[in-house]
Structures are given as structure tokens and as C-alpha cells.
Amino acid sequence: MYNFSDFKKKTDGVHDWLKKELGNIRTGQASPQLLDSIEVESYGSKVSLNQIAQVTVEDGKTLRISPWDSSQIKDIEKAILVSNLGLSPRVDETGLRVAFPPLTGERRQELSKVAGAKLEESKISVRNEREKVLKDIQSKEKKGEMTEDDVRKSKSELQKQIDEANKKLLEIKEKKDKEILN
């Protein structure tokens, strides 16, 4: 029988990637992870926002950004404005406040399509991993390391794992759709 542990690790990695990518899609709820992709010009280099400031949830629709160095407030504001997240920060004496406006129906549909595209990317990754395993099984068969029965059983087991992985990916996407569309 074929050892699927490597394949399982890679599909788990794809699941984690999809969760992370979908976590970056704004649903109208304030979440510090939404700002993880923002890079700020700081002392001559680009750094992640969470490395130069604390991001906390003030309420369901507002995030509070408290930079460790108050001289960077303007740089943080600029980075948020150019991030294409559709956010407009308000500066005060100790940091910034980012309010998340409610999403329109049209925008919700667009975000659902983006989530669908991310799902498709993850399915492609799983398919690529399947192809690698199939090639490995065929090479083992040619070398005489696996019998025909082992190959058939391995291919059957591979298909079960593919179906399970795709089902998990779809569940992750459907959960995000519920967040987006409600």
C-alpha cells in the first residue's frame, strides 16, 4: 500500500492556506487579521503593520491601531489608504481608528466570487498533489515495488482522500459565504 502521509500534510497545508486567504476577505465585521497584509514604510523599509503597532477590536465595526512609535501614525494612515481595502482611517492623538462600513449587496456578491476563486486555487493545488502521487504510484509499479492490487487499492484510497479534501475546502468556503452574504 502507498504511504499517503506526505499527501495528507500537503492537503492540510492547502486547507490552512484557504482559511488564511478567506480570513483576509472583509465581511463587515472588524477583525485584526484584515490588516495583516498591510505593509508600512518604516525607517526606510517595508514592515507588516502588526510589527509596528497593536491592532485591537474596539467594537464589532471598529479597529483601533496603536503604534508603538507615534511618529509613524501618518505612515500607517497612508498605507491603509493605498491598500485597496476600502477603509478610511481616522487619526487621533494616540493612534488610528478604522471603521468598517456595512457591505452593499453588490459588494457581498463580489466578495463571494473572490472566495470562489480562492476555493478554485486550492482545488488546483490538491489536483497537482494528486498528479504527483499518481506518478509516484506508477513509477513504483514499473519498478516492481507495488503489485497491481496495491496500485488499484492505492488509487482508490487516493480518490477517497481527494474527495475528503475537496469536501473540507468546500465547507470552509461555504462558511465564509455565510459570513459574507448575511
Side-chain angles (χ1 to χ4, degrees):
M1 230 6 223
Y2 188 81
N3 181 358
F4 290 101
S5 62
D6 215 28
F7 176 77
K8 186 76 174 136
K9 282 181 197 168
K10 294 200 174 161
T11 57
D12 287 346
V14 172
H15 292 134
D16 293 342
W17 176 85
L18 182 63
K19 285 179 186 174
K20 182 178 178 276
E21 288 295 310
L22 295 182
N24 289 333
I25 296 177
R26 185 167 70 90
T27 60
Q29 285 288 85
S31 168
Q33 291 83 12
L34 294 171
L35 303 179
D36 282 353
S37 62
I38 294 178
E39 292 199 335
V40 181
E41 185 73 35
S42 175
Y43 304 111
S45 64
K46 293 248 183 204
V47 294
S48 180
L49 175 63
N50 59 12
Q51 291 179 344
I52 62 168
Q54 179 180 13
V55 182
T56 56
V57 177
E58 205 167 76
D59 61 46
K61 302 273 184 206
T62 310
L63 290 178
R64 176 89 186 136
I65 303 170
S66 306
W68 291 301
D69 180 358
S70 60
S71 68
Q72 294 182 314
I73 290 175
K74 288 293 180 195
D75 293 330
I76 294 171
E77 178 184 26
K78 180 181 173 188
I80 292 171
L81 290 172
V82 299
S83 69
N84 290 330
L85 290 175
L87 302 173
S88 49
R90 289 187 313 259
V91 178
D92 59 31
E93 63 279 345
T94 59
L96 299 98
R97 213 175 244 115
V98 180
F100 288 77
L103 297 174
T104 63
E106 186 178 304
R107 181 70 177 141
R108 290 176 191 274
Q109 292 300 325
E110 287 174 24
L111 292 175
S112 181
K113 286 180 185 175
V114 169
K118 297 292 182 188
L119 171 66
E120 197 53 41
E121 281 181 55
S122 59
K123 283 183 173 181
I124 289 169
S125 295
V126 170
R127 276 196 297 270
N128 290 340
E129 291 304 320
R130 177 189 67 197
E131 293 306 314
K132 289 177 188 173
V133 170
L134 286 173
K135 284 180 184 174
D136 193 31
I137 288 173
Q138 288 172 346
S139 75
K140 286 181 187 263
E141 181 183 25
K142 284 180 184 174
K143 292 177 187 174
E145 295 174 14
M146 292 179 81
T147 65
E148 278 186 43
D149 283 346
D150 286 343
V151 169
R152 217 178 0 266
K153 287 176 186 174
S154 295
K155 286 182 177 180
S156 175
E157 177 61 26
L158 175 62
Q159 189 57 50
K160 284 180 191 172
Q161 291 197 19
I162 293 287
D163 293 342
E164 185 182 312
N166 285 335
K167 182 181 174 194
K168 250 184 178 178
L169 291 170
L170 189 59
E171 287 171 1
I172 294 167
K173 197 263 188 192
E174 286 173 347
K175 182 179 175 192
K176 188 63 174 187
D177 272 346
K178 284 181 184 173
E179 280 180 40
I180 293 170
L181 299 172
N182 293 331

